[in-house]
Amino acid sequence: MGRRRIWVQLATFTAVSAVLLVGVPAGYFLFMYGCGQKEDGLATAMAGDPVLGATPAAAEKGEPYRGCDDDDLFVYAGTDYRYGGTRQSVLDHYRESAQANGWRSRPVRGDESVSDCFTKRIGGTTAYLTVQGPENGTVQAEIVADHARSDWC
């Protein structure tokens, strides 16, 4: 009977170890990993911000997008569009549009004449609006945020 008890204890130890080493991480990835409702709600709020639809008058209709990075849980929403104007005209446009929609410009850095990054509270966290381009005639206006309150610009 003593040998049987040792085998039962060994089997129990092995089963518990297997659950802890394999089951717990697998459960995390199945039930906890990645973006969820909280991030989806933030993406929806950011995508609905009027500044993303406020492109310069001469711009073509943009291609909106939104999503979430499953690894880092940062959320993004933006638009890409064709524009033949200058970088300065894009920045001037977004400075005016962003301020009209409650965004604040971050201080100018280095050799910038106008900031290309703006902040605003959206969905209970600080969101960051950045503007890139025009590069090869394309402008990208994007809002990025996360619930960890990272600084995106």
Side-chain angles (χ1 to χ4, degrees):
M1 183 108 146
R3 220 173 232 212
R4 179 177 161 91
R5 185 174 182 178
I6 291 173
W7 281 107
V8 169
Q9 288 176 341
L10 185 59
T12 302
F13 175 76
T14 303
V16 169
S17 296
V19 167
L20 292 175
L21 292 173
V22 177
V24 171
Y28 169 78
F29 282 104
L30 289 174
F31 301 109
M32 304 277 296
Y33 175 78
C35 301
Q37 290 180 338
K38 190 175 181 181
E39 289 78 23
D40 289 342
L42 181 56
T44 299
M46 290 181 349
D49 194 274
V51 76
L52 291 179
T55 57
E60 294 180 17
K61 182 171 172 36
E63 290 294 324
Y65 60 88
R66 69 179 178 188
C68 178
D69 180 270
D70 283 323
D71 292 331
D72 299 323
L73 300 182
F74 70 85
V75 180
Y76 54 88
T79 186
D80 293 328
Y81 59 88
R82 304 283 302 155
Y83 180 66
T86 66
R87 171 86 174 139
Q88 190 63 48
S89 68
V90 168
L91 293 176
D92 289 345
H93 168 78
Y94 278 100
R95 183 182 65 238
E96 183 179 311
S97 178
Q99 289 175 349
N101 287 290
W103 292 87
R104 291 188 332 248
S105 177
R106 75 151 163 77
V108 174
R109 295 181 182 169
D111 62 350
E112 295 175 332
S113 59
V114 179
S115 176
D116 63 351
C117 183
F118 307 86
T119 62
K120 178 180 178 179
R121 296 285 296 173
I122 299 178
T125 192
T126 301
Y128 297 86
L129 168 68
T130 59
V131 181
Q132 298 175 0
E135 191 170 305
N136 297 321
T138 301
V139 173
Q140 178 185 39
E142 183 175 74
I143 301 171
V144 179
D146 63 23
H147 291 290
R149 299 193 169 130
S150 301
D151 185 353
W152 290 94
C153 58

